[in-house]
Amino acid sequence: MLEARARGEYLPSPTTGKPDLPPRQAPTAFTFLWAIVEGAWTLAVGHWVTFKNFWRRKVTEQYPYRNPERNWKPRPGYRGDFALITDRKTGRLRCTACMQCANICPAGCIWIVAEGRGKDRHPVQFSIDAGLCMYCWLCVETCPFGAITMTPDYETATFKPEHLIRDIEYLRTRGLEYHEPLKPIEAKAQHQEGQAEAGDAR
Amino acid sequence: MSLAGLRTEQLAINMGPQHPSTHGVLRLILTLDGETVVDCDPVIGYLHSSLEKIGERKTYKQFTTYTDRFDYLNALGNNLVYVQAVERLLGVQVPPRCQHIRVIMAELNRIASHLVYFAALGVDVGATTVFLYAFREREAIVNLLEHATGQRLLYNYLRIGGLRNDLPPDFLDGLREFLSYFPARLEEYNNLLTRNRIFRARMEGLGVLPPDKAIEYGCTGPVLRGSGVAWDIRKIEGYAAYPEYDFDVPVQPYGDAMSRHLVRVEELRQSVAILRQAVEKLPSGPIRAEGVPRVIKPPPGEVFERVESPRGELGCYIVSDGTERPMRLRWRAPSFYNLQALREMVRGHLVADVVAILASIDIVLGDVDR
Amino acid sequence: MSALARWFGYLRSQADALAERWHVPLLVNDFLAWLAAGIFLLALITVVSLAAIYLERKISGYIQSRLGPVRAGPVGLFQTVLDALKLLQKEDIVPAAADWRLHLLGPVLFLVTTLMMFAVVPWDRGVNVARWLDLEIGLLYVVAVSGIGVIGIVAGGWGSNNKWSLLGALRGAAQLISYEIPFLLAALCVVLQAGTLSLSSIVEQQQAFVTEWFLWRPALWLAVAIFIIAGVAEVNRVPFDIPEAESELVAGFHTEYTGMKFALFFLGEYGHLYVVGLLFAVLFAGGWASPLGGSSLPFEGFVWLNVKAWAFVIAAMWIRWTLPRLRVDQLMEFAWKILIPAGFLAVLIVSLALM
């Protein structure tokens, strides 16, 4: 049964080899006075820590007005707003309305209305409700054609919830602003090539 | 006037769901006798999102998104336990690079979660500066994870059979840089908070939980290790490349809030040691297992998989009936069991101590309420 | 009729004699002097509080590795002014079941006692707020008035009709009356050293050269330490901020206050901190004396006094953002078991040194 005021040493830390704290002592006159002296020293040490941090570089990022050299954009691969990719060669959307993304979306925020058959199949209505979306990237992963992606754009707040529904024209326009993404499989291959080259260089 | 005839009343006070220091929406009904707590009744359920029921409606692949949201400070750990459970049902072996990256992610998440513990503890005890320092360090980790996974809190990085994508080329350099300055900063924060006489007076002897009571309540993690029981799932189960790493399990004998605090401080150091080894040991190779079908339909059966989250033993129990949706998905949330011990721990303490004890248990309401 | 006239005449002569003794202004220029003194004090406390709040936010930001206010004016200098303007236009909400008289009395009494403490501080050589406020018992007056401020806190807590506020207010009262004793004992050491309770004569004794300051006398070092600790405790600052402990009681005794009443509490709190800083400068650091002794240029003494007082204020802020909070029973234990015996020890040391 553990006693609330148990005395003794703390167990030593495996990393440093000694306990992090001095042992807990029974209250005698000597330990009382020693606690005052040692306590004052620990408080002073704490002040030195804050004093050091007073002079360190501040980590505030004054978004968005200052620090313009940071363009405030995360890297590609960040799960932000959506885009539908237009194929460079054919000039049409890569999307063939196969419904894979709509099926896999856990929140069910993608609606697609399709037209055409075979090679002609294309979406006429492709809406994503960015308000329902959980930003999980499953739709991007599942798409066999690399037609949908998520851009590093996070400043997508609107004043009305209706405006959060991205329709096909919005998505097409966004897709034109961003490069075609690599599918994860291709990214892996590139990374392995890069590693192999680095290995050869070493 | 004799004190025997003096009538006193017990005051029932509500530390309501909106309170600066209940770590989420937790309601505590405290019965006070003056300033001493006689009883404490936690009322939970304010964050309940029926995630376990959602688990019965979503397919296995879709549910990885929801696993982040249980214990949102340990999102990758949640991913890990779920993904490992499904992999065990499917009988899939993931490649070694994937296992090591999972260890890296789990340990980074552990550091981030313990930093949030530091921060919340600082605010509860009154040293607000510690909050800002801990979040400054956490910012570095979160930036690293943002580069690797694409999000800052709810990563959804692990997939059934592997990972979402490989680590970006400069991730390891960023990690090395973080590991180079973090241990010194940790010592600074120890000097600022842990060794501080006022902090010691606040935390020593508080919320004593004897080891037999801790085991009875089902407490795990730093709460159990702070009571003297060396129980760490990473050593016991040896999942995801942990057997290849050399690390110690910190234990402190007194069972009070200071012991739990010291256990977490030491766990931070051990996580740094594991990450240092991982950065050296990381093998190359594929990051997804072969042969994982596109539509995941595990054979009928059940599995209970557990990992060590920063809060304790995190378990995922899945019953599969052969279809693409689980029949039952149960989440063994460590904070729920740790919170049960709160009532035992606060008897006889003052109101200010309730806050400190709650901080030392380190609960996350997403875990408690699911 | 004549009895009544005689009685009125008697009252009038008594009133005249009393007015003579208490320096109550009967002449217009005396009245104007009083008015100027009042305006000076109010302006001073406003400017001081605004500056102190701004400094607190900037210093806490820099310690915490972040910039404080930066947008309102150059380096955020106008931030507190804008905050004050914002508070002025807020609705004054009094809880329905609360006693509105006590609700109003709380901040008013708190602020008024702080203002009263300003009155006896010697601002420059021979300058008190008004000539006749160079009280012979200046130090005793200050400590007595700070005791009255406790009533303001309790009134605020009770008048909020809120259990948490009441808890905070009662803890505040217990804390303040407990820490007045070491405060007074430390000041008593200075009184023993200087031989007088009058603040301006205490400063006069320290003004030759910086080494004359009482700060450097080893016999008084314990008194200095006790004064700093008890002074910080008197102002309800961390590590002694139990009455307004943010994370436990939401905001303690000023939870239910909005708008200008809330601003009055803050004005009072930062004003009190400044007053304790002024007292520190006056008692231990030579008051308005420059380090080279005396003050020759006009306003030089005022500037030096402020430099020393603000040094104390900044040190108090540094302490606030470093240390955790003491629990209420530890706080009382610290006061009664450690500080008060130490205070008596300090008095003993000074007495022995003076023999």
Side-chain angles (χ1 to χ4, degrees):
Chain A
M1 183 67 190
L2 286 177
E3 188 196 307
R5 294 276 163 205
R7 310 289 150 217
E9 304 230 340
Y10 285 102
L11 294 179
S13 136
T15 318
T16 58
K18 46 188 179 64
D20 279 316
L21 283 181
R24 302 150 66 138
Q25 293 152 322
T28 67
F30 176 70
T31 57
F32 187 71
L33 292 173
W34 172 244
I36 296 180
V37 171
E38 189 240 349
W41 172 248
T42 56
L43 298 189
V45 167
H47 283 89
W48 172 242
V49 170
T50 34
F51 187 70
K52 270 199 298 193
N53 276 285
F54 188 89
W55 303 106
R56 279 199 184 134
R57 197 180 67 85
K58 307 290 167 268
V59 295
T60 314
E61 300 192 12
Q62 302 185 62
Y63 167 87
Y65 299 110
R66 309 282 170 83
N67 303 341
E69 67 275 6
R70 280 201 49 163
N71 58 357
W72 301 113
K73 281 272 180 274
R75 292 214 205 145
Y78 186 82
R79 313 205 287 258
D81 206 4
F82 297 90
L84 279 176
I85 306 297
T86 306
D87 198 39
R88 295 263 169 91
K89 296 193 199 91
T90 63
R92 295 172 17 157
L93 289 177
R94 277 186 183 175
C95 174
T96 61
C98 65
M99 307 290 189
Q100 289 289 320
C101 54
N103 285 338
I104 197 138
C105 175
C109 64
I110 305 182
W111 299 281
I112 310 177
V113 172
E115 239 180 38
R117 293 198 170 257
K119 292 264 183 197
D120 267 340
R121 194 164 166 84
H122 61 276
V124 290
Q125 181 187 335
F126 192 112
S127 317
I128 300 183
D129 187 351
L132 278 182
C133 173
M134 290 162 68
Y135 294 91
C136 64
W137 190 264
L138 283 178
C139 51
V140 179
E141 246 177 58
T142 301
C143 178
F145 306 99
I148 186 173
T149 184
M150 293 176 85
T151 65
D153 189 21
Y154 52 89
E155 293 158 314
T156 54
T158 59
F159 284 100
K160 292 194 181 166
E162 302 86 72
H163 296 174
L164 279 176
I165 301 183
R166 316 291 188 204
D167 66 346
I168 194 166
E169 284 314 312
Y170 176 97
L171 294 171
R172 191 202 304 267
T173 328
R174 289 203 88 88
L176 293 174
E177 292 166 1
Y178 288 93
H179 296 292
E180 299 172 7
L182 293 174
K183 290 165 60 182
I185 295 291
E186 291 164 354
K188 182 187 86 173
Q190 271 200 356
H191 180 60
Q192 284 176 336
E193 275 173 28
Q195 290 228 318
E197 280 174 21
D200 291 337
R202 253 183 282 153
Chain B
M1 177 181 182
S2 76
L3 283 180
L6 193 66
R7 190 179 74 103
T8 56
E9 270 181 18
Q10 291 185 341
L11 188 65
I13 250 187
N14 181 34
M15 265 173 91
Q18 292 162 325
H19 195 94
S21 47
T22 50
H23 293 265
V25 277
L26 171 68
R27 182 175 171 212
L28 291 176
I29 304 181
L30 299 169
T31 314
L32 302 178
D33 183 10
E35 274 250 357
T36 321
V37 173
V38 168
D39 197 14
C40 157
D41 190 13
V43 178
I44 59 176
Y46 288 92
L47 198 52
H48 179 68
S49 323
S50 27
L51 286 172
E52 290 181 356
K53 181 70 185 172
I54 290 178
E56 295 172 17
R57 293 305 181 96
K58 303 289 169 191
T59 66
Y60 287 94
K61 265 176 115 165
Q62 286 174 327
F63 194 68
T64 41
T65 321
Y66 289 92
T67 55
D68 287 323
R69 283 138 170 97
F70 282 99
D71 175 2
Y72 36 83
L73 293 176
N74 182 36
L76 288 165
N78 296 349
N79 278 163
L80 184 61
V81 69
Y82 172 73
V83 153
Q84 284 189 278
V86 180
E87 282 165 8
R88 198 186 283 193
L89 271 179
L90 286 175
V92 163
Q93 284 284 30
V94 289
R97 181 175 171 87
C98 175
Q99 299 279 39
H100 284 266
I101 293 181
R102 284 181 178 178
V103 167
I104 292 179
M105 292 298 167
E107 293 308 311
L108 271 178
N109 235 169
R110 191 180 311 273
I111 295 180
S113 175
H114 282 329
L115 283 173
V116 174
Y117 155 77
F118 245 91
L121 183 70
V123 167
D124 289 341
V125 163
T128 326
T129 320
V130 177
F131 179 87
L132 273 297
Y133 290 162
F135 270 81
R136 179 182 61 186
E137 310 311 327
R138 189 164 182 266
E139 192 66 20
I141 298 180
V142 162
N143 280 338
L144 272 177
L145 288 172
E146 182 191 338
H147 286 167
T149 69
Q151 270 289 346
R152 288 166 63 95
L153 188 73
L154 303 170
Y155 309 106
N156 193 20
Y157 181 59
L158 305 184
R159 297 281 182 266
I160 298 169
L163 310 170
R164 169 182 170 246
N165 57 304
D166 205 346
L167 297 174
D170 51 355
F171 181 84
L172 289 176
D173 294 326
L175 188 55
R176 279 194 196 100
E177 193 194 316
F178 173 73
L179 293 173
S180 69
Y181 70 76
F182 184 66
R185 292 275 173 91
L186 187 58
E187 278 318 298
E188 255 186 40
Y189 306 149
N190 268 345
N191 281 337
L192 179 58
L193 192 64
T194 313
R195 300 202 175 103
N196 196 312
R197 185 91 198 110
I198 300 177
F199 182 71
R200 285 188 74 180
R202 281 299 290 267
M203 298 275 277
E204 277 179 354
L206 224 63
V208 174
L209 191 63
D212 50 339
K213 280 270 187 242
I215 297 176
E216 233 177 78
Y217 277 114
C219 301
T220 48
V223 176
L224 188 60
R225 292 199 280 279
S227 296
V229 181
W231 182 262
D232 191 330
I233 308 292
R234 294 175 288 179
K235 292 283 196 192
I236 291 166
E237 287 259 329
Y239 55 91
Y242 275 108
E244 298 177 34
Y245 288 95
D246 178 28
F247 64 99
D248 296 296
V249 170
V251 174
Q252 293 286 345
Y254 296 113
D256 62 352
M258 187 52 110
S259 302
R260 298 192 274 273
H261 179 77
L262 290 176
V263 163
R264 289 193 180 97
V265 165
E266 183 57 34
E267 277 186 8
L268 277 170
R269 294 194 190 113
Q270 293 297 325
S271 290
V272 167
I274 295 178
L275 282 171
R276 283 217 172 98
Q277 296 171 43
V279 160
E280 304 310 316
K281 273 191 195 173
L282 193 61
S284 53
I287 52 163
R288 291 215 188 188
E290 320 254 318
V292 178
R294 198 174 161 87
V295 174
I296 295 185
K297 285 195 193 173
E302 58 186 22
V303 65
F304 179 75
E305 182 72 28
R306 51 188 184 161
V307 304
E308 178 78 16
S309 92
R311 280 161 196 89
E313 174 183 326
L314 177 61
C316 178
Y317 173 66
I318 304 183
V319 175
S320 153
D321 56 355
T323 60
E324 59 191 5
R325 300 184 155 82
M327 195 182 93
R328 167 79 170 119
L329 186 129
R330 157 98 176 117
W331 203 257
R332 191 246 184 233
S335 306
F336 185 79
Y337 298 90
N338 293 351
L339 188 60
Q340 291 180 100
L342 181 68
R343 188 179 232 164
E344 172 96 13
M345 286 196 231
V346 300
R347 289 217 173 94
H349 289 293
L350 305 176
V351 175
D353 294 337
V354 171
V355 166
I357 295 173
L358 192 61
S360 80
I361 307 180
D362 191 20
I363 57 168
V364 170
L365 264 298
D367 229 8
V368 172
D369 288 339
R370 273 157 280 146
Chain C
M1 189 66 186
S2 61
L4 202 60
R6 266 207 311 273
W7 190 64
F8 262 110
Y10 169 75
L11 277 181
R12 173 113 177 238
S13 65
Q14 287 296 315
D16 279 352
L18 212 58
E20 179 93 344
R21 235 175 43 218
W22 285 0
H23 307 286
V24 171
L26 297 171
L27 303 174
V28 171
N29 49 357
D30 274 348
F31 176 71
L32 284 180
W34 273 93
L35 195 63
I39 292 177
F40 167 68
L41 276 186
L42 283 175
L44 184 71
I45 199 173
T46 312
V47 169
V48 156
S49 293
L50 290 179
I53 294 177
Y54 171 75
L55 209 57
E56 168 112 75
R57 289 171 74 163
K58 280 306 253 193
I59 289 180
S60 73
Y62 271 67
I63 287 180
Q64 292 165 358
S65 214
R66 56 183 179 91
L67 309 163
V70 285
R71 302 275 307 155
V75 285
L77 279 172
F78 299 148
Q79 180 71 43
T80 350
V81 175
L82 296 173
D83 278 342
L85 288 175
K86 174 199 78 165
L87 281 173
L88 268 174
Q89 47 99 27
K90 278 204 187 282
E91 178 190 354
D92 180 34
I93 302 177
V94 178
D99 189 352
W100 66 267
R101 286 166 286 247
L102 281 178
H103 199 256
L104 179 61
L105 180 71
V108 165
L109 195 57
F110 193 60
L111 183 63
V112 161
T113 53
T114 307
L115 278 172
M116 283 165 75
M117 284 194 262
F118 272 85
V120 291
V121 172
W123 300 101
D124 204 341
R125 186 197 306 270
V127 174
N128 286 78
V129 164
R131 273 174 292 118
W132 46 77
L133 277 180
D134 179 13
L135 286 179
E136 289 291 326
I137 51 161
L139 195 54
L140 185 60
Y141 167 84
V142 166
V143 179
V145 163
S146 70
I148 300 179
V150 179
I151 303 181
I153 293 185
V154 176
W158 182 267
S160 298
N161 195 39
N162 183 348
K163 280 182 195 157
W164 292 104
S165 300
L166 184 62
L167 263 180
L170 294 177
R171 284 165 156 183
Q175 174 188 320
L176 288 180
I177 61 178
S178 305
Y179 278 91
E180 266 176 24
I181 303 179
F183 191 72
L184 187 57
L185 285 173
L188 194 63
C189 296
V190 175
V191 168
L192 284 175
Q193 173 78 38
T196 166
L197 275 172
S198 156
L199 288 177
S200 35
S201 13
I202 292 179
V203 173
E204 294 279 341
Q205 295 191 17
Q206 298 179 59
Q207 60 130 327
F209 194 66
V210 66
T211 49
E212 292 277 316
W213 292 356
F214 292 160
L215 199 52
W216 310 126
R217 298 195 191 215
L220 280 173
W221 281 345
L222 186 57
V224 170
I226 294 173
F227 186 86
I228 294 179
I229 298 175
V232 166
E234 276 289 304
V235 197
N236 291 336
R237 288 186 68 84
V238 177
F240 307 105
D241 75 338
I242 285 296
E244 43 184 65
E246 264 174 32
S247 48
E248 296 162 31
L249 304 172
V250 186
F253 64 92
H254 54 75
T255 314
E256 300 278 352
Y257 282 91
T258 57
M260 209 52 211
K261 288 188 193 158
F262 184 68
L264 285 180
F265 265 125
F266 267 82
L267 232 64
E269 176 174 331
Y270 284 99
H272 199 168
L273 177 62
Y274 181 64
V275 161
V276 172
L278 285 173
L279 281 176
F280 177 80
V282 159
L283 290 177
F284 293 103
W288 42 258
S290 78
L292 295 174
S295 68
S296 38
L297 304 170
F299 291 114
E300 187 193 343
F302 184 69
V303 168
W304 279 114
L305 179 62
N306 272 300
V307 164
K308 296 167 198 174
W310 282 103
F312 180 84
V313 169
I314 291 178
M317 289 177 184
W318 188 13
I319 295 176
R320 173 187 184 161
W321 296 108
T322 306
L323 297 180
R325 186 182 300 131
L326 281 175
R327 205 177 55 206
V328 76
D329 62 326
Q330 292 166 349
L331 194 141
M332 302 301 279
E333 186 183 316
F334 184 64
W336 290 91
K337 290 194 194 168
I338 300 183
L339 273 191
I340 292 184
F344 285 128
L345 185 66
V347 171
L348 185 65
I349 292 178
V350 172
S351 325
L352 288 175
L354 283 175
M355 277 203 307

